[in-house]
Amino acid sequence: MPLPDFLIAGVPKAGTTALHAALVRHPGLFLPAVKEPKFFLSDGRPPVSGGPGDVQTYQEHVWRRADYEALFDPAPVGALRGEATPFYLYDLEAHDRIRTLVPDAKLILLLRDPVDRAHSNWTHLWNAGLEPEADFLTACRAEGQRRADGWADFWHYVSLGLYGRQVQHLYKLFPREQVLLLRYRDLKDTPAATLDRVCDFLGVPAGQLKEIPRENVNRHVVEDNAINRVLRGLLRTGGQFGHRFPVPLRLAARGPILTLLHRKHGTRPVTTPEERAALLPLFADDIALLQDVTGESYDDWMSVDRHAKAS
């Protein structure tokens, strides 16, 4: 029964897709074509309702064990098997499920400045036409109500960035030598050295991966104007077709709508000092906890005017 030897377990919008794209090129590693199977996020069938776009995402979960194991069937003999689901760190119950099924799995975590991570998360959903709030801080303040309404984890802009409590819980279940803690800026600024660290951690030959593929770069800029509000409304509601058309047809309509929404290209916005000043107090205690738990310094995350730096 093939199961993963390692997991890229966190965090969203911190380079996990880029790391996945790089590691699939290593001959000693196997990662399935399905990124983010999300197997350990539930004990059975995932929810059937949620926020904008959540139902479609839930339908993509690989939640049956036989289907999950089948993802690793094509792995070459001797290759280490792994997968990337960046929500595993956030979901504390997933920690227990991983420990129960694959207690010896090695866990790779990529952490990013929590304010910048939250902003990138909001930008991702805004560009996808799913985020209804045009203002980043307003969207963050809506998190409590969205959680109460059952919106999926990807909408938890602030809570996803509380790494201290998440890593602390993980370390109670897994020995520290089984966990590799990286930073987003490491992967961005020194990709070859960071990939060598990953290979050394996994026990496969280093020096074979030199760069991060550029396939995940998104340069779409979605303005808040009348035309785009209509397009975004169509995406959030699944199209104004109601249920008169089958799901595959409604999903097929997303492509042309997104093409129209993404018709403008440019530089993606960065977090402003004002936004950082508003959100940093929400993360300060947790950053201190993360430093205590890991013994590493994250003091640079506490700066208000650092939007031009990598994180």
Side-chain angles (χ1 to χ4, degrees):
M1 296 182 292
L3 288 168
D5 301 294
F6 68 94
L7 300 168
I8 302 173
V11 298
K13 307 310 297 179
T16 57
T17 296
L19 180 59
H20 177 280
L23 294 185
V24 295
R25 300 181 176 189
H26 195 290
L29 302 175
F30 173 83
L31 292 91
V34 176
K35 184 186 178 291
E36 296 191 26
K38 304 181 177 70
F39 175 73
F40 292 104
L41 296 183
S42 67
D43 283 318
R45 188 182 297 274
V48 294
S49 62
D54 289 349
V55 173
Q56 178 185 345
T57 299
Y58 287 141
Q59 291 172 344
E60 297 169 354
H61 280 218
V62 181
W63 58 274
R64 295 181 179 87
R65 178 165 172 175
D67 294 336
Y68 185 63
E69 293 180 355
L71 296 178
F72 304 100
D73 282 341
V77 176
L80 293 179
R81 301 177 294 268
E83 60 110 328
T85 298
F87 295 96
Y88 288 158
L89 177 64
Y90 178 59
D91 189 331
L92 303 188
E93 293 182 355
H95 301 182
D96 296 294
R97 298 185 188 107
I98 294 168
R99 184 189 182 192
T100 298
L101 189 59
V102 285
D104 296 325
K106 293 186 175 182
L107 308 174
I108 302 170
L109 308 179
L110 284 148
L111 303 184
R112 182 179 186 179
D113 173 288
V115 178
D116 290 344
R117 194 222 65 80
H119 189 271
S120 180
N121 195 158
W122 169 82
T123 302
H124 177 108
L125 289 168
W126 173 261
N127 283 345
L130 299 176
E131 171 57 67
E133 290 291 349
D135 178 71
F136 169 52
L137 292 180
T138 301
C140 288
R141 297 185 186 108
E143 180 175 324
Q145 186 59 54
R146 291 173 173 186
R147 290 171 64 101
D149 292 341
W151 290 29
D153 292 350
F154 201 33
W155 298 96
H156 302 177
Y157 299 151
V158 174
S159 299
L160 277 166
L162 299 175
Y163 315 132
R165 64 184 66 175
Q166 299 164 23
V167 174
Q168 183 182 53
H169 184 269
L170 190 73
Y171 280 168
K172 292 178 180 178
L173 300 178
F174 295 90
R176 296 187 179 216
E177 59 268 21
Q178 210 167 310
V179 181
L180 178 63
L181 199 61
L182 302 172
R183 290 177 60 149
Y184 170 76
R185 73 178 188 191
D186 297 334
L187 196 64
K188 181 178 179 181
D189 295 344
T190 56
T194 303
L195 291 171
D196 279 348
R197 285 185 63 191
V198 173
C199 291
D200 288 340
F201 172 69
L202 296 176
V204 296
Q208 301 193 33
L209 304 175
K210 302 295 185 182
E211 60 185 7
I212 300 298
R214 301 286 295 172
E215 56 199 48
N216 195 42
V217 177
N218 186 337
R219 298 299 182 190
H220 302 135
V221 178
V222 179
E223 297 176 336
D224 185 26
N225 56 44
I227 295 176
N228 287 348
R229 282 193 288 273
V230 172
L231 296 173
R232 291 158 43 75
L234 289 170
L235 290 167
R236 287 198 305 275
T237 61
Q240 298 299 324
F241 316 109
H243 294 282
R244 292 178 295 167
F245 296 98
V247 171
L249 185 57
R250 297 203 303 272
L251 293 180
R254 286 183 56 83
I257 296 173
L258 281 170
T259 297
L260 288 173
L261 192 66
H262 295 166
R263 61 192 180 277
K264 182 176 179 180
H265 295 257
T267 302
R268 289 176 61 138
V270 296
T271 317
T272 67
E274 293 75 20
E275 290 168 337
R276 292 192 62 81
L279 291 184
L280 271 176
L282 303 179
F283 296 109
D285 289 345
D286 189 78
I287 292 173
L289 174 61
L290 180 66
Q291 295 185 133
D292 289 342
V293 169
T294 65
E296 299 186 18
S297 174
Y298 295 91
D299 286 343
D300 57 307
W301 288 356
M302 294 303 298
S303 172
V304 170
D305 190 11
R306 62 176 305 283
H307 61 277
K309 301 177 183 178
S311 51

